[in-house]
Amino acid sequence: MSKKNPEYDFKWCPGCGDFAVKRAIEMAMRQWTIKTEEPIENTVIVAGIGCSGNLVHLVDGDQPFGIHGVHGRTLPISLGVKMGNPNLNVLLVAGDGDFLSIGGEHIAPAAKRNLNVCAVVMDNGVYGLTKGQSSPTTIIGEITPTTPFGKVEDSINPLDLYLTLGVSYVASGFSSKVKEMAQLIQDGMEHPGFSIVHVQSPCTTYNDNYDVLRGNAKKGIAPLAYDVGEEHDSSDIEAARAIVNEPGIPLGLIYQNPNSIPLDARVTKSQEKTSFKSAEDQIDAFTL
Ligand SMILES: Cc1ncc(C[n+]2csc(CCOP(=O)(O)OP(=O)(O)O)c2C)c(N)n1
Ligand code: SF4
Ligand SMILES: [Mg+2]
């Protein structure tokens, strides 16, 4: 898909955080094309299934390529695209349910391979598209259609999970901070390896937590989200682990491995060791 489909009529609800994520992605893609002088068609957005994944149909302006894939499988699809053509700038967009629930099993292998793609995870703490069921980031005790007496599981800490699995670039954004999010996404695209920008993107219909994240002085609510600040050393994995386990949601660059070697570079190095010269040679090797 490299053109908008005029018949695709999905619309986000008013105030949905995903509008801001879309804007940030558009800004980051534009900066990437200016900086690299690569055409926009060399960027591919791989989308999951969910309100979030519909972003791939809603991008304004010059159109990147897009793949609206299968629920939970953005990482395997991205692996195929990137290994088919390592020169492409591959960006994936997925919801908290898509990426961390059904798709959770793919994060560890992608991290160990250091798959050179940028994942933007739109976390609204629910399955928005299917009407508000609980997701891995829904907080314990929350009442949803699938947890009528309150969620019994603890919620996961996605930033801690990514660090534990060895993701080489981990950033945290918020839909109320579009410019900062755009910069984190752009830096993630440029990072040589697997980058995840985990975004708080509230669902105004099923889990409106804007007040909790931003705070609301009139209601006596202190903000949960805060900027990591310049004193945080994002090259220090222990500092990163500490900050994601403190109360609140840190926003900004949490961790970037300064010695990251991406999968495509690893594969090229490995290919240099092969004695096969051509496809014909390889076929001949199997001929009796
Ligand atoms: C294999 C499969 N299982 C279940 C579904 C139903 N389904 C569609 S979207 C979705 C969850 C979406 O939640 P999330 O990924 O958080 O995205 P959001 O809508 O919140 O942006 C589910 C369970 C599906 N489409 N395919
Ligand atoms: S249901 Fe929630 S996540 Fe989906 S479009 Fe509406 S506000 Fe956004
Ligand atoms: Mg969700």
Side-chain angles (χ1 to χ4, degrees):
M1 182 174 79
S2 60
K3 278 190 194 143
K4 264 192 165 177
N5 177 355
E7 287 171 19
Y8 198 83
D9 66 352
F10 178 86
K11 286 188 178 62
W12 286 315
C13 311
C16 176
D18 295 356
F19 285 104
V21 183
K22 174 183 99 77
R23 182 86 193 98
I25 286 176
E26 287 163 357
M27 287 162 75
M29 286 193 304
R30 191 169 318 119
Q31 285 309 313
W32 186 83
T33 56
I34 292 168
K35 211 166 160 183
T36 60
E37 298 186 357
E38 296 271 352
I40 187 77
E41 298 81 19
N42 286 5
T43 291
V44 181
I45 297 183
V46 178
I49 304 297
C51 296
S52 41
N54 280 283
L55 183 147
V56 70
H57 300 277
L58 301 170
V59 169
D60 283 316
D62 295 337
Q63 296 291 299
F65 270 92
I67 298 178
H68 202 175
V70 187
H71 191 44
R73 308 294 172 231
T74 50
L75 279 169
I77 295 170
S78 300
L79 172 68
V81 173
K82 188 71 185 175
M83 296 322 288
N85 184 350
N87 296 323
L88 295 173
N89 175 34
V90 180
L91 185 73
L92 71 89
V93 292
D96 46 318
D98 189 293
F99 199 73
L100 295 164
S101 190
I102 187 171
E105 72 209 43
H106 299 295
I107 307 171
K112 293 297 126 192
R113 293 178 179 127
N114 210 7
L115 176 62
N116 197 359
V117 304
C118 177
V120 178
V121 183
M122 296 144 85
D123 184 357
N124 53 16
V126 283
Y127 292 173
L129 188 72
T130 46
K131 297 192 180 299
Q133 298 88 346
S134 75
S135 82
T137 56
T138 306
I139 54 176
I140 189 165
E142 198 78 354
I143 292 174
T144 75
T146 41
T147 57
F149 306 108
K151 188 184 174 196
V152 292
E153 300 102 338
D154 288 325
S155 59
I156 68 152
N157 177 336
L159 299 173
D160 192 30
L161 176 72
Y162 305 147
L163 293 174
T164 303
L165 297 179
V167 178
S168 56
Y169 175 106
V170 176
S172 171
F174 181 20
S175 61
S176 289
K177 294 186 170 234
V178 179
K179 261 199 235 154
E180 291 87 341
M181 195 198 326
Q183 190 62 55
L184 293 171
I185 297 170
Q186 196 191 326
D187 293 346
M189 287 173 177
E190 290 172 12
H191 170 73
F194 189 23
S195 60
I196 301 183
V197 182
H198 190 92
V199 180
Q200 301 299 318
S201 181
C203 168
T204 41
T205 298
Y206 298 110
N207 186 28
D208 191 342
N209 58 351
Y210 271 117
D211 276 354
V212 175
L213 292 166
R214 281 195 295 229
N216 185 326
K218 279 187 196 150
K219 294 182 189 165
I221 302 172
L224 197 61
Y226 68 95
D227 293 326
V228 289
E230 302 225 322
E231 62 282 3
H232 173 61
D233 179 0
S234 57
S235 67
D236 179 347
I237 186 76
E238 293 310 328
R241 286 202 179 106
I243 206 166
V244 301
N245 282 296
E246 282 164 12
I249 297 177
L251 300 177
L253 179 58
I254 304 296
Y255 177 65
Q256 181 166 22
N257 180 346
N259 305 310
S260 173
I261 301 171
L263 176 62
D264 25 321
R266 296 175 193 212
V267 170
T268 305
K269 205 169 166 205
S270 165
Q271 278 170 340
E272 283 164 6
K273 293 182 193 154
T274 176
S275 56
F276 295 125
K277 297 274 184 290
S278 63
E280 209 175 14
D281 280 347
Q282 292 185 49
I283 292 164
D284 284 349
F286 290 102
T287 313
L288 293 172

